[in-house]
Amino acid sequence: MAQNQFSDKDNEFLQNLVSKYKAYSKPTDTQKLLVSLYELQNKNDDDFKKLQALLKAERKAEAHFNAQKKIKDLLKADKEKERKAL
């Protein structure tokens, strides 16, 4: 049997994702996989590797989303300045 190989930060992030994805009416296959792996009672090393890969992908997706939001906000601010200048 494998031990929990996640830090407290990873566990917290994983729990937040799982609770968010459980609330979705139509989760994606990846989201369903993350939830089902999380809920497994006796996880083996392979299950932990899959969960870690999913967490890594989720973090990258979140970082991408945040970067896109910053870009969008900057463009919006620039357009607002131009509009006020006119």
Side-chain angles (χ1 to χ4, degrees):
M1 187 184 327
Q3 291 182 338
N4 184 333
Q5 302 170 352
F6 296 121
S7 67
D8 290 342
K9 185 179 175 184
D10 286 342
N11 272 326
E12 184 179 337
F13 186 64
L14 185 58
Q15 288 171 352
N16 289 339
L17 287 175
V18 168
S19 61
K20 179 170 67 170
Y21 293 160
K22 280 183 168 183
Y24 287 1
S25 60
K26 294 183 181 181
T28 65
D29 290 341
T30 305
Q31 293 164 345
K32 289 177 193 174
L33 177 62
L34 192 137
V35 171
S36 64
L37 283 172
Y38 176 78
E39 292 178 338
L40 274 178
Q41 291 301 318
N42 298 313
K43 295 175 187 70
N44 59 30
D45 287 335
D46 192 45
D47 296 332
F48 279 109
K49 285 180 185 175
K50 290 176 187 173
L51 270 172
Q52 286 187 328
L54 288 167
L55 276 179
K56 186 177 179 182
E58 288 291 335
R59 282 204 167 95
K60 286 187 183 252
E62 187 176 87
H64 175 76
F65 174 79
N66 289 338
Q68 291 293 101
K69 185 177 182 324
K70 284 182 183 178
I71 291 169
K72 186 178 176 183
D73 290 346
L74 287 172
L75 290 173
K76 186 178 177 181
D78 281 350
K79 285 184 180 181
E80 187 70 22
K81 284 181 188 176
E82 287 179 21
R83 188 181 63 79
K84 285 184 179 180
L86 295 175

